[in-house]
Coordinates of all heavy atoms in Angstrom, one line a residue:
L174 N 45.3 -4.0 6.1 CA 44.0 -4.2 5.4 C 44.3 -5.2 4.2 O 43.4 -6.1 4.0 CB 43.4 -2.9 4.9 CG 42.1 -3.0 4.1 CD1 41.0 -3.7 4.9 CD2 41.7 -1.6 3.7
L178 N 42.3 -8.6 3.2 CA 41.7 -8.8 1.9 C 42.2 -10.1 1.1 O 41.4 -10.8 0.5 CB 41.9 -7.5 1.0 CG 41.1 -6.3 1.5 CD1 41.6 -5.1 0.8 CD2 39.6 -6.5 1.3
A182 N 39.0 -12.4 0.4 CA 38.5 -12.4 -1.0 C 38.0 -13.8 -1.5 O 36.9 -13.9 -2.0 CB 39.5 -11.8 -1.9
L188 N 32.5 -8.0 4.2 CA 33.4 -7.2 5.0 C 32.7 -5.9 5.4 O 32.1 -5.2 4.6 CB 34.6 -6.9 4.2 CG 35.8 -6.1 4.8 CD1 36.4 -6.8 6.0 CD2 36.9 -5.9 3.7
I190 N 33.9 -2.4 6.9 CA 35.0 -1.6 7.2 C 34.6 -0.4 8.0 O 33.6 0.3 7.6 CB 35.7 -1.1 5.9 CG1 36.4 -2.3 5.3 CG2 36.6 0.1 6.1 CD1 37.4 -2.0 4.2
E203 N 40.3 7.2 2.8 CA 39.1 6.6 2.0 C 39.6 6.1 0.7 O 39.3 5.1 0.2 CB 38.0 7.6 1.9 CG 37.4 8.1 3.2 CD 38.1 9.3 3.8 OE1 39.2 9.7 3.3 OE2 37.6 9.8 4.8
R204 N 40.4 7.0 0.0 CA 40.9 6.7 -1.3 C 41.8 5.4 -1.3 O 41.7 4.5 -2.1 CB 41.7 7.9 -1.9 CG 42.5 7.7 -3.2 CD 41.6 7.4 -4.4 NE 40.8 8.6 -4.8 CZ 39.8 8.6 -5.6 NH1 39.4 7.4 -6.1 NH2 39.1 9.7 -5.8
L205 N 42.7 5.4 -0.3 CA 43.6 4.2 -0.2 C 42.9 2.9 0.0 O 43.2 1.9 -0.5 CB 44.7 4.5 0.9 CG 45.7 5.6 0.6 CD1 46.4 6.0 1.9 CD2 46.7 5.1 -0.4
T206 N 41.8 3.1 0.8 CA 41.0 1.9 1.1 C 40.2 1.4 -0.1 O 40.2 0.2 -0.4 CB 40.0 2.2 2.3 OG1 40.8 2.6 3.4 CG2 39.1 1.0 2.6
I207 N 39.6 2.4 -0.8 CA 38.9 2.0 -2.0 C 39.8 1.3 -3.0 O 39.4 0.3 -3.7 CB 38.3 3.3 -2.7 CG1 37.2 3.9 -1.8 CG2 37.9 3.1 -4.1 CD1 35.8 3.4 -2.1
E208 N 41.0 1.8 -3.2 CA 41.9 1.2 -4.2 C 42.2 -0.3 -3.8 O 42.2 -1.1 -4.7 CB 43.3 2.0 -4.2 CG 43.2 3.3 -5.0 CD 44.4 4.2 -4.8 OE1 45.4 3.8 -4.2 OE2 44.3 5.3 -5.2
L209 N 42.4 -0.5 -2.5 CA 42.6 -1.9 -2.1 C 41.3 -2.8 -2.3 O 41.4 -3.9 -2.8 CB 43.0 -2.0 -0.6 CG 44.5 -1.6 -0.3 CD1 44.7 -1.4 1.2 CD2 45.4 -2.7 -0.9
I210 N 40.2 -2.2 -1.9 CA 38.9 -3.0 -2.1 C 38.7 -3.3 -3.6 O 38.3 -4.5 -3.9 CB 37.7 -2.2 -1.5 CG1 37.9 -2.0 0.0 CG2 36.4 -2.8 -1.9 CD1 37.8 -3.2 0.8
E211 N 39.0 -2.4 -4.4 CA 38.8 -2.6 -5.9 C 39.8 -3.6 -6.4 O 39.5 -4.5 -7.2 CB 38.9 -1.3 -6.7 CG 37.6 -0.5 -6.5 CD 37.5 0.8 -7.2 OE1 38.6 1.4 -7.5 OE2 36.4 1.3 -7.5
R212 N 41.1 -3.5 -5.9 CA 42.1 -4.4 -6.4 C 41.8 -5.9 -6.0 O 42.1 -6.8 -6.8 CB 43.4 -4.1 -5.7 CG 44.6 -4.7 -6.5 CD 46.0 -4.4 -5.9 NE 46.1 -3.0 -5.6 CZ 46.9 -2.5 -4.6 NH1 47.6 -3.3 -3.8 NH2 47.0 -1.2 -4.4
Y213 N 41.1 -6.1 -4.9 CA 40.7 -7.4 -4.5 C 39.3 -7.8 -4.9 O 38.8 -8.9 -4.4 CB 41.0 -7.6 -3.0 CG 42.5 -7.8 -2.7 CD1 43.3 -6.6 -2.5 CD2 43.1 -9.0 -2.7 CE1 44.6 -6.7 -2.3 CE2 44.5 -9.1 -2.5 CZ 45.2 -8.0 -2.3 OH 46.6 -8.1 -2.2
G214 N 38.7 -7.0 -5.7 CA 37.3 -7.4 -6.2 C 36.3 -7.5 -5.1 O 35.4 -8.3 -5.2
M215 N 36.4 -6.7 -4.0 CA 35.5 -6.8 -2.9 C 34.4 -5.7 -2.8 O 33.7 -5.7 -1.8 CB 36.4 -6.8 -1.6 CG 37.1 -8.1 -1.3 SD 36.0 -9.5 -0.8 CE 35.3 -8.9 0.7
M216 N 34.3 -4.9 -3.8 CA 33.4 -3.8 -3.6 C 32.0 -4.2 -3.3 O 31.3 -3.7 -2.5 CB 33.4 -2.9 -4.9 CG 32.7 -1.5 -4.8 SD 33.3 -0.5 -3.4 CE 34.9 0.1 -4.0
E217 N 31.5 -5.2 -4.0 CA 30.1 -5.7 -3.8 C 29.9 -6.3 -2.5 O 28.8 -6.4 -2.0 CB 29.7 -6.7 -4.9 CG 29.3 -6.0 -6.2 CD 29.0 -7.0 -7.3 OE1 28.6 -8.2 -6.9 OE2 29.1 -6.6 -8.4
R218 N 31.0 -6.8 -1.9 CA 30.8 -7.5 -0.6 C 31.3 -6.6 0.6 O 31.5 -7.2 1.7 CB 31.6 -8.8 -0.6 CG 30.9 -9.9 -1.4 CD 31.9 -11.0 -1.9 NE 32.7 -11.6 -0.8 CZ 33.9 -12.2 -0.9 NH1 34.4 -12.3 -2.1 NH2 34.5 -12.7 0.1
T219 N 31.5 -5.3 0.4 CA 32.0 -4.5 1.4 C 30.9 -3.4 1.8 O 30.3 -2.8 0.9 CB 33.3 -3.8 1.0 OG1 34.3 -4.8 0.7 CG2 33.8 -2.8 2.1
F221 N 30.9 0.2 4.0 CA 31.7 1.2 4.6 C 31.0 1.8 5.7 O 29.9 2.4 5.4 CB 32.2 2.2 3.5 CG 33.0 1.6 2.4 CD1 32.4 1.1 1.3 CD2 34.4 1.5 2.5 CE1 33.1 0.6 0.2 CE2 35.1 0.9 1.5 CZ 34.5 0.5 0.3
I232 N 33.2 8.5 0.2 CA 33.1 7.2 -0.4 C 32.1 7.2 -1.5 O 32.4 6.7 -2.6 CB 32.9 6.1 0.6 CG1 34.0 5.9 1.6 CG2 32.5 4.8 0.0 CD1 35.2 5.2 1.0
M235 N 33.2 8.9 -4.6 CA 34.3 8.2 -5.3 C 33.7 7.0 -6.0 O 34.1 6.7 -7.2 CB 35.4 7.7 -4.3 CG 36.3 8.8 -3.8 SD 37.5 8.0 -2.7 CE 37.5 9.3 -1.5
V236 N 32.8 6.3 -5.4 CA 32.2 5.0 -6.0 C 30.7 5.1 -5.7 O 30.3 4.8 -4.6 CB 32.9 3.8 -5.3 CG1 32.3 2.5 -6.0 CG2 34.4 3.8 -5.4
K237 N 30.0 5.3 -6.8 CA 28.5 5.5 -6.7 C 27.9 4.3 -6.1 O 26.9 4.4 -5.3 CB 28.0 5.8 -8.1 CG 26.7 6.7 -8.0 CD 26.4 7.3 -9.4 CE 25.7 6.3 -10.2 NZ 25.3 5.8 -11.2
E238 N 28.3 3.1 -6.5 CA 27.6 1.9 -6.0 C 28.1 1.4 -4.7 O 27.6 0.4 -4.2 CB 27.7 0.8 -7.1 CG 29.1 0.2 -7.3 CD 30.0 1.0 -8.3 OE1 29.6 2.2 -8.6 OE2 31.0 0.4 -8.7
A239 N 29.0 2.1 -4.0 CA 29.5 1.6 -2.7 C 28.4 1.6 -1.7 O 27.5 2.5 -1.7 CB 30.7 2.5 -2.3

Side-chain angles (χ1 to χ4, degrees):
L174 177 58
L178 290 169
L188 181 61
I190 286 193
E203 297 87 353
R204 170 69 65 197
L205 291 166
T206 301
I207 289 272
E208 280 168 12
L209 281 169
I210 295 294
E211 283 180 336
R212 195 180 316 149
Y213 284 88
M215 281 293 292
M216 191 55 77
E217 277 179 24
R218 284 158 55 201
T219 299
F221 297 91
I232 290 285
M235 286 180 219
V236 182
K237 210 166 79 190
E238 69 275 17

